Amino acid sequence: MTQTTVRTRTFVQALNEALDLAMERDPNVYLIGEDIGEMGGDFGVTRGLWAKYGEARVRDTPLSEAAIIGTAVGSAMMGFRPVAEIMFADFLGECYDQLVNNAAKMHYMFDGQFKAPIVVRTACGGGFGGGPHHSQSVEGWFLNVPGLVIVAPSTPADAKGLLLASIENDNPILFLEHKALYRIKGEVPEGYYTTPLRKAAVVREGKDVTIVATMKMVHEALAAAAELEQEGVSAEVIDLRTIRPYDAETVLESVRKTGRAVVVNEAPKIGGLASELSAVIGEECFYDLKAPVVRVAGLDAPIPFSLALEKIILPGKEQVIAGSSQRDEVGVLRGACSMARVAYCGCVLRELSRNTQHA
C-alpha cells in the first residue's frame, strides 16, 4: 500500500474520499441512489460529489431499490462501474432478485461475455434504537450466493481502501457499512490506495484464544481482549474484513496456534456467519482444538426500538468476555451467562407482547 501523509478521518469521510478518488480516476464510475445528490446521502457519505461531478454521475432516484440495482446491473453490462447506495440494508429485500439472480449470475450465465462490476453500499447494524426495519445485520441473507462478494470494514482506513478495491473489482460486491462506525475516527492514508479483498487482518495478537469478528463486533472484541488480558487470558482478534469469500487460511492458522475459537456476529446465531465459521473451524481444526468453538451472536428475535431491550438482543463486550474466558474443570470454554440472558430476554419480550396485545 503506497501512502504519503496519514490524517485522522471519520469513517464517513474515508468513504467520501474513496468515492471522490474513484470518480476522478475513472469516468465510468457513477453513483446512484436515493437522496445521494444535493443532500449528500442520509449519512453524508456522498456530500459534495453532486456539486463536483454533476447530476449525470451522481444520480438521485425515486424510492425504488429494485430500480436502483436494476439500473446498476444494466449499466454495468454496458461498461460502467456503478456504485449504488441502498439507504438501509434492511431494504435489500426489495432488490434481492436483481442482486442474487441477475448480478451474481451474470458472468456465469453469459460465459464471461458480460459482467456486473457493481458495488452496493448499504448501512447495516443496530445499537441506536432504529427498530426492526432499520437495524438488521443482513450478511446471512447472502452468504450462500455464489458470485457475490461481501465486504465489511471496521476502520476508516479499511473503509477507504476496501471501497476502492471493490470499485476496481469485476464482481458484484455488497459493501456493508455499520451505522455505529460512521462517526469513529482513525488514521487514513492520503491519496489512492487499495486494501486487498479476501484478506483478514490480525488486529491483536494472542496465544490463548482466537476471536473472529467483523464491523462493530471487532471493536467489541478488542475491548473484551483488553479486559481479558487483565485476567491473564491472551486473546488474538481477527477482523475478517471480507465476509464472502472469507480468508479461512488466516483464521485457521490462528486457531491452530491458540487451540480455542470464539466467533462473534451481531446477526442471530442460526444460519449466520458465526455458524459458517464455527463449522469450518470444527472441520479443519478438530484435532487442534482444546475446546468446542463458541458462537457469540444476537438473539433469535426482532430488534426492538427500546435501547434497553436492544442491549439484551445484540451481543457486546460482556458476551465476548463470557465466551472467551469461562472454563469448566476440564478447560472447556463456555458462555455461562448465555442461558440467563436468553431467559431474561424471553421474559421481557413476553411482557412486552402482552402489553402490546392489551393496548
Side-chain angles (χ1 to χ4, degrees):
M1 181 175 72
T2 302
Q3 60 187 61
T4 52
T5 306
V6 175
R7 302 89 20 90
T8 297
R9 291 289 186 269
T10 66
F11 202 94
V12 165
Q13 289 171 330
L15 292 170
N16 182 272
E17 281 187 11
L19 293 173
D20 189 10
L21 289 167
M23 296 179 75
E24 188 176 64
R25 174 174 285 206
D26 186 350
N28 288 319
V29 175
Y30 76 93
L31 314 183
I32 182 170
E34 299 163 10
D35 295 327
I36 67 166
E38 189 173 8
M39 177 179 164
D42 207 37
F43 300 98
V45 174
T46 58
R47 188 169 294 145
L49 300 178
W50 179 81
K52 183 173 182 178
Y53 295 102
E55 61 183 14
R57 295 186 67 194
V58 184
R59 292 180 170 266
D60 266 329
T61 69
L63 197 122
S64 173
E65 288 77 16
I68 293 169
I69 304 304
T71 300
V73 172
S75 64
M77 293 175 69
M78 302 306 295
F80 289 93
R81 289 187 174 272
V83 181
E85 178 178 310
I86 301 299
M87 193 178 294
F88 289 92
D90 314 68
F91 305 156
L92 286 168
E94 299 295 327
C95 53
Y96 194 84
D97 185 59
Q98 290 290 350
L99 276 171
V100 172
N101 288 324
N102 288 334
K105 296 174 175 60
M106 185 69 65
H107 188 272
Y108 175 81
M109 291 297 294
F110 288 93
D111 195 27
Q113 296 177 75
F114 291 102
K115 55 189 177 183
I118 72 172
V119 176
V120 180
R121 294 182 39 254
T122 189
C124 65
F128 67 105
H133 299 114
H134 295 81
S135 306
Q136 297 174 90
S137 295
V138 301
E139 55 269 27
W141 300 4
F142 299 94
L143 269 177
N144 67 345
V145 180
L148 191 65
V149 177
I150 307 174
V151 179
S154 70
T155 67
D158 278 348
K160 179 179 176 180
L162 288 170
L163 183 53
L164 286 170
S166 297
I167 294 171
E168 288 184 0
N169 196 275
D170 284 341
N171 293 294
I173 292 180
L174 181 60
F175 195 91
L176 301 177
E177 304 165 5
H178 199 293
K179 293 183 287 292
L181 301 180
Y182 274 144
R183 303 305 167 192
I184 68 166
K185 294 182 178 180
E187 292 186 343
V188 178
E190 190 175 28
Y192 195 103
Y193 68 89
T194 60
T195 301
L197 303 180
R198 200 189 171 272
K199 182 60 181 174
V202 179
V203 293
R204 182 187 176 109
E205 294 189 353
K207 59 184 177 60
D208 294 327
V209 60
T210 298
I211 306 174
V212 187
T214 62
M215 296 184 284
K216 180 177 181 285
M217 291 299 108
V218 173
H219 299 272
E220 299 293 338
L222 287 169
E227 289 199 18
L228 287 167
E229 187 175 28
Q230 305 302 314
E231 303 173 9
V233 177
S234 174
E236 183 151 293
V237 179
I238 295 177
D239 180 357
L240 212 54
R241 299 199 295 192
T242 301
I243 293 177
R244 177 188 172 91
Y246 57 84
D247 181 4
E249 294 85 357
T250 296
V251 173
L252 298 177
E253 181 182 354
S254 176
V255 174
R256 290 188 180 108
K257 178 179 72 174
T258 65
R260 295 182 172 89
V262 176
V263 183
V264 189
N265 188 214
E266 186 174 310
K269 183 181 291 186
I270 297 174
L273 178 63
S275 299
E276 163 64 20
L277 287 172
S278 63
V280 170
I281 293 169
E283 289 172 350
E284 300 294 331
C285 297
F286 183 82
Y287 295 105
D288 301 293
L289 287 169
K290 301 171 184 176
V293 180
V294 175
R295 289 179 294 162
V296 175
L299 298 183
D300 192 20
I303 300 175
F305 284 102
S306 165
L307 288 171
L309 291 177
E310 196 174 26
K311 288 180 180 178
I312 298 171
I313 297 290
L314 301 178
K317 177 186 70 174
E318 297 303 323
Q319 287 72 43
V320 179
I321 291 173
S324 303
S325 63
Q326 298 193 30
R327 302 169 173 84
D328 61 21
E329 60 271 19
V330 296
V332 177
L333 291 172
R334 55 190 171 91
C337 68
S338 297
M339 292 307 296
R341 182 166 165 255
V342 172
Y344 175 60
C345 180
C347 292
V348 173
L349 292 178
R350 282 195 296 273
E351 184 63 28
L352 183 64
S353 176
R354 282 197 291 270
N355 292 340
T356 303
Q357 291 171 3
H358 295 326

